[in-house]
Tab-separated table of all heavy atoms in Angstrom:
chain	number	residue	atom	x	y	z
G	451	MET	N	25.397	28.063	-40.587
G	451	MET	CA	26.754	28.599	-40.701
G	451	MET	C	26.788	30.036	-40.156
G	451	MET	O	25.993	30.880	-40.523
G	451	MET	CB	27.179	28.592	-42.177
G	451	MET	CG	28.631	28.912	-42.374
G	451	MET	SD	29.200	28.283	-43.961
G	451	MET	CE	29.468	29.808	-44.831
G	452	LYS	N	27.716	30.271	-39.251
G	452	LYS	CA	27.834	31.575	-38.621
G	452	LYS	C	28.960	32.353	-39.302
G	452	LYS	O	30.046	31.837	-39.488
G	452	LYS	CB	28.153	31.366	-37.139
G	452	LYS	CG	27.944	32.584	-36.285
G	452	LYS	CD	28.094	32.189	-34.817
G	452	LYS	CE	28.409	33.410	-33.981
G	452	LYS	NZ	28.575	33.074	-32.566
G	453	MET	N	28.688	33.582	-39.680
G	453	MET	CA	29.716	34.389	-40.323
G	453	MET	C	29.909	35.686	-39.555
G	453	MET	O	28.947	36.309	-39.119
G	453	MET	CB	29.318	34.690	-41.765
G	453	MET	CG	29.433	33.457	-42.652
G	453	MET	SD	29.061	33.818	-44.379
G	453	MET	CE	30.528	34.690	-44.892
G	454	ILE	N	31.161	36.051	-39.421
G	454	ILE	CA	31.508	37.278	-38.709
G	454	ILE	C	32.027	38.293	-39.726
G	454	ILE	O	32.839	37.963	-40.584
G	454	ILE	CB	32.594	36.984	-37.633
G	454	ILE	CG1	32.114	35.921	-36.631
G	454	ILE	CG2	33.015	38.256	-36.909
G	454	ILE	CD1	30.923	36.331	-35.782
G	455	CYS	N	31.552	39.510	-39.619
G	455	CYS	CA	31.971	40.570	-40.530
G	455	CYS	C	33.472	40.841	-40.395
G	455	CYS	O	33.978	41.006	-39.293
G	455	CYS	CB	31.181	41.835	-40.215
G	455	CYS	SG	31.650	43.228	-41.240
G	456	ILE	N	34.160	40.886	-41.537
G	456	ILE	CA	35.606	41.137	-41.490
G	456	ILE	C	35.912	42.599	-41.176
G	456	ILE	O	37.018	42.939	-40.785
G	456	ILE	CB	36.321	40.738	-42.817
G	456	ILE	CG1	35.637	41.390	-44.021
G	456	ILE	CG2	36.374	39.235	-42.972
G	456	ILE	CD1	36.496	41.350	-45.280
G	457	GLN	N	34.948	43.469	-41.378
G	457	GLN	CA	35.174	44.898	-41.127
G	457	GLN	C	35.007	45.248	-39.660
G	457	GLN	O	35.770	46.023	-39.106
G	457	GLN	CB	34.189	45.740	-41.945
G	457	GLN	CG	34.186	45.453	-43.429
G	457	GLN	CD	35.392	46.043	-44.144
G	457	GLN	OE1	36.180	46.785	-43.556
G	457	GLN	NE2	35.546	45.710	-45.408
G	458	CYS	N	33.962	44.717	-39.035
G	458	CYS	CA	33.646	45.172	-37.679
G	458	CYS	C	33.367	44.037	-36.701
G	458	CYS	O	32.945	44.282	-35.578
G	458	CYS	CB	32.463	46.148	-37.718
G	458	CYS	SG	30.919	45.364	-38.220
G	459	GLN	N	33.557	42.788	-37.130
G	459	GLN	CA	33.416	41.625	-36.258
G	459	GLN	C	32.005	41.438	-35.682
G	459	GLN	O	31.820	40.829	-34.642
G	459	GLN	CB	34.450	41.655	-35.107
G	459	GLN	CG	35.851	41.181	-35.524
G	459	GLN	CD	36.560	42.203	-36.395
G	459	GLN	OE1	36.605	43.371	-36.061
G	459	GLN	NE2	37.085	41.778	-37.519
G	460	THR	N	31.017	41.956	-36.382
G	460	THR	CA	29.632	41.726	-35.978
G	460	THR	C	29.141	40.442	-36.637
G	460	THR	O	29.576	40.110	-37.743
G	460	THR	CB	28.753	42.917	-36.440
G	460	THR	OG1	29.234	44.102	-35.836
G	460	THR	CG2	27.280	42.718	-36.084
G	461	GLU	N	28.257	39.716	-35.984
G	461	GLU	CA	27.705	38.515	-36.604
G	461	GLU	C	26.807	38.919	-37.770
G	461	GLU	O	25.941	39.781	-37.635
G	461	GLU	CB	26.900	37.707	-35.578
G	461	GLU	CG	26.512	36.346	-36.131
G	461	GLU	CD	25.750	35.497	-35.115
G	461	GLU	OE1	26.007	35.662	-33.906
G	461	GLU	OE2	24.901	34.709	-35.541
G	462	MET	N	27.030	38.282	-38.933
G	462	MET	CA	26.319	38.676	-40.144
G	462	MET	C	25.024	37.899	-40.313
G	462	MET	O	24.866	36.808	-39.786
G	462	MET	CB	27.226	38.469	-41.366
G	462	MET	CG	28.496	39.288	-41.302
G	462	MET	SD	29.584	38.999	-42.712
G	462	MET	CE	28.901	40.127	-43.925
G	463	ILE	N	24.103	38.461	-41.075
G	463	ILE	CA	22.843	37.795	-41.403
G	463	ILE	C	23.089	36.965	-42.653
G	463	ILE	O	23.371	37.517	-43.724
G	463	ILE	CB	21.728	38.832	-41.641
G	463	ILE	CG1	21.512	39.667	-40.377
G	463	ILE	CG2	20.437	38.138	-42.066
G	463	ILE	CD1	20.759	40.961	-40.618
G	464	THR	N	23.025	35.660	-42.530
G	464	THR	CA	23.352	34.781	-43.653
G	464	THR	C	22.087	34.336	-44.383
G	464	THR	O	20.974	34.689	-44.003
G	464	THR	CB	24.121	33.535	-43.156
G	464	THR	OG1	23.350	32.909	-42.142
G	464	THR	CG2	25.479	33.918	-42.598
G	465	ASP	N	22.282	33.525	-45.401
G	465	ASP	CA	21.187	32.910	-46.149
G	465	ASP	C	20.409	33.902	-47.013
G	465	ASP	O	19.264	33.649	-47.370
G	465	ASP	CB	20.234	32.183	-45.189
G	465	ASP	CG	19.814	30.825	-45.762
G	465	ASP	OD1	20.536	30.316	-46.640
G	465	ASP	OD2	18.779	30.300	-45.345
G	466	CYS	N	20.994	35.027	-47.343
G	466	CYS	CA	20.350	35.957	-48.262
G	466	CYS	C	20.658	35.476	-49.681
G	466	CYS	O	21.728	34.931	-49.935
G	466	CYS	CB	20.904	37.371	-48.077
G	466	CYS	SG	20.659	38.018	-46.421
G	467	SER	N	19.742	35.673	-50.595
G	467	SER	CA	19.991	35.194	-51.950
G	467	SER	C	20.608	36.288	-52.812
G	467	SER	O	20.466	37.478	-52.537
G	467	SER	CB	18.709	34.654	-52.587
G	467	SER	OG	17.751	35.670	-52.639
G	468	VAL	N	21.301	35.850	-53.848
G	468	VAL	CA	21.984	36.776	-54.753
G	468	VAL	C	21.313	36.703	-56.109
G	468	VAL	O	21.255	35.650	-56.721
G	468	VAL	CB	23.475	36.385	-54.919
G	468	VAL	CG1	24.199	37.403	-55.769
G	468	VAL	CG2	24.133	36.240	-53.566
G	469	THR	N	20.776	37.799	-56.592
G	469	THR	CA	20.182	37.814	-57.926
G	469	THR	C	20.685	39.040	-58.682
G	469	THR	O	21.128	40.012	-58.078
G	469	THR	CB	18.642	37.864	-57.871
G	469	THR	OG1	18.247	38.908	-56.995
G	469	THR	CG2	18.064	36.558	-57.371
G	470	VAL	N	20.623	38.956	-59.978
G	470	VAL	CA	21.007	40.081	-60.811
G	470	VAL	C	19.821	41.037	-60.885
G	470	VAL	O	18.693	40.618	-61.115
G	470	VAL	CB	21.385	39.587	-62.229
G	470	VAL	CG1	21.735	40.759	-63.133
G	470	VAL	CG2	22.550	38.624	-62.147
G	471	GLU	N	20.071	42.297	-60.674
G	471	GLU	CA	18.996	43.275	-60.677
G	471	GLU	C	18.308	43.327	-62.037
G	471	GLU	O	18.960	43.333	-63.073
G	471	GLU	CB	19.542	44.665	-60.323
G	471	GLU	CG	18.431	45.663	-60.061
G	471	GLU	CD	18.962	47.024	-59.640
G	471	GLU	OE1	19.914	47.497	-60.277
G	471	GLU	OE2	18.445	47.585	-58.692
G	472	GLY	N	16.989	43.363	-62.014
G	472	GLY	CA	16.233	43.435	-63.253
G	472	GLY	C	15.969	42.077	-63.872
G	472	GLY	O	15.326	41.980	-64.909
G	473	GLY	N	16.455	41.017	-63.266
G	473	GLY	CA	16.251	39.694	-63.838
G	473	GLY	C	15.893	38.686	-62.776
G	473	GLY	O	15.958	38.958	-61.585
G	474	MET	N	15.501	37.525	-63.222
G	474	MET	CA	15.141	36.448	-62.302
G	474	MET	C	16.361	35.576	-61.997
G	474	MET	O	16.273	34.642	-61.232
G	474	MET	CB	14.079	35.545	-62.941
G	474	MET	CG	12.793	36.259	-63.283
G	474	MET	SD	11.723	36.401	-61.855
G	474	MET	CE	11.192	34.688	-61.694
G	475	PHE	N	17.464	35.876	-62.650
G	475	PHE	CA	18.590	34.972	-62.570
G	475	PHE	C	19.588	35.368	-61.491
G	475	PHE	O	19.891	36.535	-61.314
G	475	PHE	CB	19.309	34.920	-63.923
G	475	PHE	CG	18.392	34.562	-65.046
G	475	PHE	CD1	17.947	35.521	-65.932
G	475	PHE	CD2	17.945	33.252	-65.197
G	475	PHE	CE1	17.084	35.194	-66.969
G	475	PHE	CE2	17.073	32.920	-66.224
G	475	PHE	CZ	16.642	33.891	-67.119
G	476	GLY	N	20.096	34.373	-60.831
G	476	GLY	CA	21.170	34.609	-59.886
G	476	GLY	C	22.497	34.362	-60.561
G	476	GLY	O	22.566	34.206	-61.779
G	477	ILE	N	23.550	34.340	-59.812
G	477	ILE	CA	24.851	34.029	-60.386
G	477	ILE	C	25.291	32.650	-59.910
G	477	ILE	O	24.752	32.112	-58.949
G	477	ILE	CB	25.918	35.099	-60.054
G	477	ILE	CG1	26.055	35.293	-58.545
G	477	ILE	CG2	25.593	36.415	-60.733
G	477	ILE	CD1	27.209	36.171	-58.148
G	478	LYS	N	26.259	32.099	-60.575
G	478	LYS	CA	26.681	30.741	-60.290
G	478	LYS	C	28.199	30.676	-60.260
G	478	LYS	O	28.864	31.289	-61.088
G	478	LYS	CB	26.141	29.833	-61.394
G	478	LYS	CG	26.080	28.377	-61.049
G	478	LYS	CD	25.214	27.664	-62.073
G	478	LYS	CE	25.939	26.482	-62.661
G	478	LYS	NZ	25.135	25.794	-63.690
G	479	ILE	N	28.736	29.959	-59.314
G	479	ILE	CA	30.181	29.757	-59.217
G	479	ILE	C	30.464	28.330	-59.674
G	479	ILE	O	29.814	27.403	-59.198
G	479	ILE	CB	30.671	29.883	-57.752
G	479	ILE	CG1	30.125	31.137	-57.074
G	479	ILE	CG2	32.191	29.801	-57.666
G	479	ILE	CD1	30.732	32.432	-57.544
G	480	SER	N	31.409	28.152	-60.587
G	480	SER	CA	31.690	26.783	-61.002
G	480	SER	C	33.175	26.556	-61.207
G	480	SER	O	33.955	27.484	-61.417
G	480	SER	CB	30.913	26.423	-62.268
G	480	SER	OG	31.185	27.358	-63.265
G	481	GLN	N	33.550	25.305	-61.118
G	481	GLN	CA	34.943	24.905	-61.326
G	481	GLN	C	34.937	23.752	-62.307
G	481	GLN	O	34.162	22.802	-62.159
G	481	GLN	CB	35.555	24.443	-59.998
G	481	GLN	CG	37.006	24.039	-60.114
G	481	GLN	CD	37.561	23.476	-58.802
G	481	GLN	OE1	36.880	22.775	-58.092
G	481	GLN	NE2	38.788	23.809	-58.511
G	482	LYS	N	35.787	23.849	-63.310
G	482	LYS	CA	35.860	22.789	-64.310
G	482	LYS	C	36.590	21.590	-63.742
G	482	LYS	O	37.651	21.719	-63.139
G	482	LYS	CB	36.598	23.286	-65.555
G	482	LYS	CG	35.665	23.788	-66.622
G	482	LYS	CD	36.420	24.030	-67.917
G	482	LYS	CE	35.442	24.434	-69.014
G	482	LYS	NZ	36.119	24.923	-70.204
G	483	GLY	N	36.024	20.422	-63.955
G	483	GLY	CA	36.679	19.203	-63.495
G	483	GLY	C	37.704	18.736	-64.501
G	483	GLY	O	37.831	19.293	-65.592
G	484	ASN	N	38.436	17.706	-64.146
G	484	ASN	CA	39.437	17.157	-65.055
G	484	ASN	C	38.781	16.392	-66.195
G	484	ASN	O	39.235	16.408	-67.317
G	484	ASN	CB	40.387	16.220	-64.298
G	484	ASN	CG	41.174	16.970	-63.243
G	484	ASN	OD1	41.505	18.130	-63.431
G	484	ASN	ND2	41.467	16.314	-62.133
G	485	LYS	N	37.698	15.709	-65.860
G	485	LYS	CA	37.003	14.908	-66.857
G	485	LYS	C	35.728	15.628	-67.288
G	485	LYS	O	35.263	16.545	-66.634
G	485	LYS	CB	36.622	13.543	-66.270
G	485	LYS	CG	37.804	12.700	-65.862
G	485	LYS	CD	37.327	11.526	-65.002
G	485	LYS	CE	38.476	10.906	-64.221
G	485	LYS	NZ	38.011	10.064	-63.122
G	486	LEU	N	35.186	15.121	-68.371
G	486	LEU	CA	33.892	15.628	-68.835
G	486	LEU	C	32.830	15.259	-67.796
G	486	LEU	O	32.912	14.218	-67.158
G	486	LEU	CB	33.589	14.969	-70.181
G	486	LEU	CG	32.648	15.730	-71.128
G	486	LEU	CD1	33.242	17.074	-71.529
G	486	LEU	CD2	32.423	14.892	-72.378
G	487	PHE	N	31.843	16.091	-67.637
G	487	PHE	CA	30.754	15.893	-66.676
G	487	PHE	C	31.228	15.896	-65.229
G	487	PHE	O	30.569	15.398	-64.345
G	487	PHE	CB	29.980	14.580	-66.949
G	487	PHE	CG	29.494	14.458	-68.351
G	487	PHE	CD1	29.870	13.385	-69.138
G	487	PHE	CD2	28.672	15.436	-68.899
G	487	PHE	CE1	29.432	13.269	-70.460
G	487	PHE	CE2	28.226	15.336	-70.208
G	487	PHE	CZ	28.609	14.249	-70.992
G	488	ASN	N	32.406	16.403	-65.025
G	488	ASN	CA	32.933	16.414	-63.657
G	488	ASN	C	32.961	17.836	-63.108
G	488	ASN	O	33.654	18.120	-62.147
G	488	ASN	CB	34.335	15.798	-63.656
G	488	ASN	CG	34.749	15.344	-62.278
G	488	ASN	OD1	33.909	15.053	-61.436
G	488	ASN	ND2	36.047	15.297	-62.036
G	489	ASN	N	32.209	18.704	-63.737
G	489	ASN	CA	32.210	20.093	-63.299
G	489	ASN	C	31.434	20.264	-61.990
G	489	ASN	O	30.453	19.592	-61.751
G	489	ASN	CB	31.585	20.991	-64.365
G	489	ASN	CG	32.432	21.024	-65.631
G	489	ASN	OD1	33.548	20.517	-65.652
G	489	ASN	ND2	31.893	21.620	-66.668
G	490	ILE	N	31.909	21.153	-61.190
G	490	ILE	CA	31.277	21.434	-59.912
G	490	ILE	C	30.690	22.837	-59.992
G	490	ILE	O	31.339	23.746	-60.491
G	490	ILE	CB	32.317	21.401	-58.778
G	490	ILE	CG1	33.123	20.096	-58.801
G	490	ILE	CG2	31.647	21.584	-57.426
G	490	ILE	CD1	34.492	20.248	-58.174
G	491	SER	N	29.487	22.998	-59.513
G	491	SER	CA	28.957	24.347	-59.482
G	491	SER	C	28.118	24.568	-58.238
G	491	SER	O	27.605	23.635	-57.637
G	491	SER	CB	28.135	24.634	-60.739
G	491	SER	OG	26.983	23.842	-60.734
G	492	ALA	N	27.997	25.801	-57.852
G	492	ALA	CA	27.241	26.144	-56.660
G	492	ALA	C	26.626	27.522	-56.848
G	492	ALA	O	27.198	28.379	-57.518
G	492	ALA	CB	28.157	26.148	-55.446
G	493	VAL	N	25.456	27.706	-56.285
G	493	VAL	CA	24.809	29.010	-56.310
G	493	VAL	C	25.178	29.721	-55.010
G	493	VAL	O	24.912	29.216	-53.927
G	493	VAL	CB	23.279	28.854	-56.430
G	493	VAL	CG1	22.590	30.208	-56.338
G	493	VAL	CG2	22.931	28.173	-57.742
G	494	PRO	N	25.850	30.868	-55.133
G	494	PRO	CA	26.293	31.543	-53.912
G	494	PRO	C	25.145	32.193	-53.142
G	494	PRO	O	24.154	32.626	-53.727
G	494	PRO	CB	27.259	32.603	-54.431
G	494	PRO	CG	26.842	32.849	-55.828
G	494	PRO	CD	26.261	31.566	-56.341
G	495	LYS	N	25.317	32.251	-51.849
G	495	LYS	CA	24.407	32.993	-50.987
G	495	LYS	C	25.178	34.193	-50.461
G	495	LYS	O	26.395	34.242	-50.562
G	495	LYS	CB	23.959	32.103	-49.830
G	495	LYS	CG	23.031	30.992	-50.273
G	495	LYS	CD	22.621	30.152	-49.101
G	495	LYS	CE	21.561	29.139	-49.548
G	495	LYS	NZ	21.175	28.283	-48.428
G	496	SER	N	24.475	35.119	-49.890
G	496	SER	CA	25.183	36.258	-49.357
G	496	SER	C	24.879	36.446	-47.883
G	496	SER	O	23.855	35.994	-47.378
G	496	SER	CB	24.854	37.521	-50.138
G	496	SER	OG	23.497	37.842	-49.990
G	497	ALA	N	25.792	37.109	-47.222
G	497	ALA	CA	25.624	37.465	-45.823
G	497	ALA	C	25.757	38.983	-45.728
G	497	ALA	O	26.585	39.584	-46.402
G	497	ALA	CB	26.691	36.786	-44.976
G	498	VAL	N	24.906	39.574	-44.919
G	498	VAL	CA	24.883	41.025	-44.785
G	498	VAL	C	25.197	41.400	-43.341
G	498	VAL	O	24.637	40.825	-42.411
G	498	VAL	CB	23.488	41.586	-45.169
G	498	VAL	CG1	23.433	43.095	-44.994
G	498	VAL	CG2	23.130	41.206	-46.589
G	499	CYS	N	26.083	42.357	-43.183
G	499	CYS	CA	26.386	42.834	-41.835
G	499	CYS	C	25.365	43.909	-41.453
G	499	CYS	O	25.244	44.920	-42.149
G	499	CYS	CB	27.791	43.415	-41.776
G	499	CYS	SG	28.170	44.121	-40.166
G	500	PRO	N	24.625	43.708	-40.344
G	500	PRO	CA	23.615	44.700	-39.943
G	500	PRO	C	24.230	45.931	-39.293
G	500	PRO	O	23.546	46.912	-39.026
G	500	PRO	CB	22.745	43.926	-38.943
G	500	PRO	CG	23.657	42.895	-38.377
G	500	PRO	CD	24.661	42.544	-39.457
G	501	ASN	N	25.528	45.891	-39.078
G	501	ASN	CA	26.192	47.011	-38.402
G	501	ASN	C	26.845	47.993	-39.364
G	501	ASN	O	26.741	49.200	-39.197
G	501	ASN	CB	27.218	46.455	-37.413
G	501	ASN	CG	27.782	47.535	-36.518
G	501	ASN	OD1	27.043	48.306	-35.931
G	501	ASN	ND2	29.098	47.595	-36.428
G	502	CYS	N	27.523	47.475	-40.411
G	502	CYS	CA	28.247	48.377	-41.306
G	502	CYS	C	27.856	48.214	-42.768
G	502	CYS	O	28.327	48.945	-43.620
G	502	CYS	CB	29.757	48.191	-41.140
G	502	CYS	SG	30.382	46.666	-41.868
G	503	GLY	N	27.009	47.230	-43.079
G	503	GLY	CA	26.552	47.079	-44.452
G	503	GLY	C	27.474	46.272	-45.346
G	503	GLY	O	27.243	46.170	-46.547
G	504	ASN	N	28.503	45.684	-44.781
G	504	ASN	CA	29.390	44.845	-45.577
G	504	ASN	C	28.633	43.615	-46.084
G	504	ASN	O	27.857	43.014	-45.362
G	504	ASN	CB	30.576	44.414	-44.694
G	504	ASN	CG	31.571	43.549	-45.435
G	504	ASN	OD1	31.870	43.785	-46.607
G	504	ASN	ND2	32.086	42.538	-44.767
G	505	VAL	N	28.856	43.267	-47.342
G	505	VAL	CA	28.211	42.099	-47.928
G	505	VAL	C	29.280	41.086	-48.303
G	505	VAL	O	30.304	41.427	-48.872
G	505	VAL	CB	27.401	42.499	-49.183
G	505	VAL	CG1	26.862	41.266	-49.896
G	505	VAL	CG2	26.270	43.433	-48.803
G	506	SER	N	29.020	39.840	-47.969
G	506	SER	CA	29.977	38.789	-48.241
G	506	SER	C	29.281	37.642	-48.969
G	506	SER	O	28.162	37.275	-48.613
G	506	SER	CB	30.543	38.324	-46.894
G	506	SER	OG	31.546	37.408	-47.079
G	507	LEU	N	29.916	37.108	-49.986
G	507	LEU	CA	29.357	35.974	-50.707
G	507	LEU	C	29.967	34.687	-50.193
G	507	LEU	O	31.147	34.625	-49.888
G	507	LEU	CB	29.644	36.078	-52.211
G	507	LEU	CG	28.935	37.171	-53.006
G	507	LEU	CD1	29.352	37.076	-54.470
G	507	LEU	CD2	27.433	37.042	-52.892
G	508	TYR	N	29.156	33.642	-50.137
G	508	TYR	CA	29.687	32.339	-49.733
G	508	TYR	C	28.864	31.242	-50.393
G	508	TYR	O	27.752	31.479	-50.857
G	508	TYR	CB	29.665	32.184	-48.205
G	508	TYR	CG	28.268	32.109	-47.616
G	508	TYR	CD1	27.696	30.880	-47.303
G	508	TYR	CD2	27.522	33.268	-47.386
G	508	TYR	CE1	26.414	30.807	-46.774
G	508	TYR	CE2	26.245	33.189	-46.859
G	508	TYR	CZ	25.688	31.965	-46.553
G	508	TYR	OH	24.421	31.892	-46.030
G	509	ILE	N	29.424	30.062	-50.421
G	509	ILE	CA	28.671	28.910	-50.902
G	509	ILE	C	28.704	27.839	-49.832
G	509	ILE	O	29.648	27.773	-49.029
G	509	ILE	CB	29.225	28.347	-52.237
G	509	ILE	CG1	30.701	27.976	-52.105
G	509	ILE	CG2	28.992	29.318	-53.386
G	509	ILE	CD1	31.210	27.125	-53.236
G	510	GLU	N	27.681	27.007	-49.811
G	510	GLU	CA	27.637	25.935	-48.818
G	510	GLU	C	28.312	24.666	-49.318
G	510	GLU	O	28.677	23.806	-48.544
G	510	GLU	CB	26.177	25.647	-48.445
G	510	GLU	CG	25.651	26.751	-47.551
G	510	GLU	CD	24.168	26.625	-47.237
G	510	GLU	OE1	23.465	25.881	-47.927
G	510	GLU	OE2	23.748	27.298	-46.284
G	511	GLU	N	28.506	24.588	-50.643
G	511	GLU	CA	29.090	23.375	-51.229
G	511	GLU	C	30.600	23.527	-51.405
G	511	GLU	O	31.184	22.945	-52.304
G	511	GLU	CB	28.452	23.086	-52.590
G	511	GLU	CG	26.954	22.847	-52.548
G	511	GLU	CD	26.155	24.139	-52.665
G	511	GLU	OE1	26.727	25.233	-52.473
G	511	GLU	OE2	24.949	24.051	-52.953
G	512	TYR	N	31.240	24.345	-50.591
G	512	TYR	CA	32.665	24.642	-50.804
G	512	TYR	C	33.561	23.421	-50.724
G	512	TYR	O	34.635	23.380	-51.298
G	512	TYR	CB	33.145	25.700	-49.801
G	512	TYR	CG	33.006	25.278	-48.352
G	512	TYR	CD1	34.058	24.652	-47.702
G	512	TYR	CD2	31.827	25.518	-47.654
G	512	TYR	CE1	33.936	24.255	-46.379
G	512	TYR	CE2	31.692	25.131	-46.330
G	512	TYR	CZ	32.745	24.495	-45.694
G	512	TYR	OH	32.609	24.100	-44.395
G	513	LYS	N	33.127	22.369	-50.026
G	513	LYS	CA	33.958	21.172	-49.892
G	513	LYS	C	34.090	20.406	-51.199
G	513	LYS	O	34.986	19.603	-51.362
G	513	LYS	CB	33.406	20.259	-48.804
G	513	LYS	CG	33.736	20.793	-47.425
G	513	LYS	CD	33.095	19.982	-46.325
G	513	LYS	CE	33.403	20.621	-44.972
G	513	LYS	NZ	32.500	20.143	-43.925
G	514	GLN	N	33.154	20.663	-52.136
G	514	GLN	CA	33.234	19.982	-53.432
G	514	GLN	C	34.288	20.614	-54.338
G	514	GLN	O	34.729	20.003	-55.301
G	514	GLN	CB	31.878	20.042	-54.133
G	514	GLN	CG	30.805	19.265	-53.408
G	514	GLN	CD	29.440	19.459	-54.038
G	514	GLN	OE1	29.347	19.747	-55.214
G	514	GLN	NE2	28.389	19.319	-53.255
G	515	PHE	N	34.670	21.833	-54.028
G	515	PHE	CA	35.673	22.502	-54.844
G	515	PHE	C	37.071	22.062	-54.411
G	515	PHE	O	37.349	21.942	-53.224
G	515	PHE	CB	35.543	24.023	-54.701
G	515	PHE	CG	34.365	24.583	-55.442
G	515	PHE	CD1	33.082	24.389	-54.983
G	515	PHE	CD2	34.555	25.320	-56.613
G	515	PHE	CE1	31.985	24.904	-55.679
G	515	PHE	CE2	33.475	25.840	-57.305
G	515	PHE	CZ	32.189	25.635	-56.840
G	516	LYS	N	37.899	21.825	-55.428
G	516	LYS	CA	39.249	21.346	-55.122
G	516	LYS	C	40.291	22.324	-55.642
G	516	LYS	O	40.053	23.018	-56.613
G	516	LYS	CB	39.465	19.973	-55.761
G	516	LYS	CG	38.519	18.925	-55.239
G	516	LYS	CD	38.687	17.609	-56.022
G	516	LYS	CE	37.566	16.641	-55.708
G	516	LYS	NZ	36.404	16.813	-56.585
G	517	LYS	N	41.439	22.300	-55.008
G	517	LYS	CA	42.540	23.156	-55.440
G	517	LYS	C	43.168	22.620	-56.720
G	517	LYS	O	43.279	21.427	-56.885
G	517	LYS	CB	43.626	23.190	-54.368
G	517	LYS	CG	43.315	24.161	-53.276
G	517	LYS	CD	44.493	24.224	-52.302
G	517	LYS	CE	44.097	24.940	-51.025
G	517	LYS	NZ	45.146	24.843	-50.010
O	1745	ZN	ZN1	30.272	44.935	-40.305
């Protein structure tokens, strides 16, 4: 997946991991489903712009999330 920085339109470095400082744990994005056991969750990755330092979070499982 190719990501372009929204600040300066430089191609960003993707696939960086997101963790909470001081811990082994990352963060998780989830959406509650309508039914039980129908919850969707994804571990976000980050992209870093090598030009201006902008950081962007994204998930690869975005198609599983519904409006
Ligand atoms: Zn940038």
Side-chain angles (χ1 to χ4, degrees):
M451 189 158 111
K452 196 172 159 181
M453 288 183 74
I454 302 296
C455 178
I456 52 164
Q457 306 284 353
C458 67
Q459 280 73 49
T460 300
E461 189 178 330
M462 300 178 85
I463 299 162
T464 55
D465 223 21
C466 300
S467 60
V468 184
T469 50
V470 178
E471 191 177 45
M474 299 278 288
F475 305 104
I477 56 172
K478 199 166 128 182
I479 312 288
S480 55
Q481 181 185 38
K482 265 190 176 169
N484 296 327
K485 297 167 198 163
L486 205 62
F487 307 122
N488 199 25
N489 294 351
I490 308 154
S491 67
V493 175
K495 290 180 174 178
S496 64
V498 178
C499 176
N501 189 50
C502 74
N504 181 39
V505 173
S506 185
L507 291 181
Y508 67 98
I509 57 166
E510 285 174 344
E511 299 88 344
Y512 60 92
K513 284 175 183 163
Q514 294 174 26
F515 285 73
K516 298 174 191 89
K517 278 185 193 172

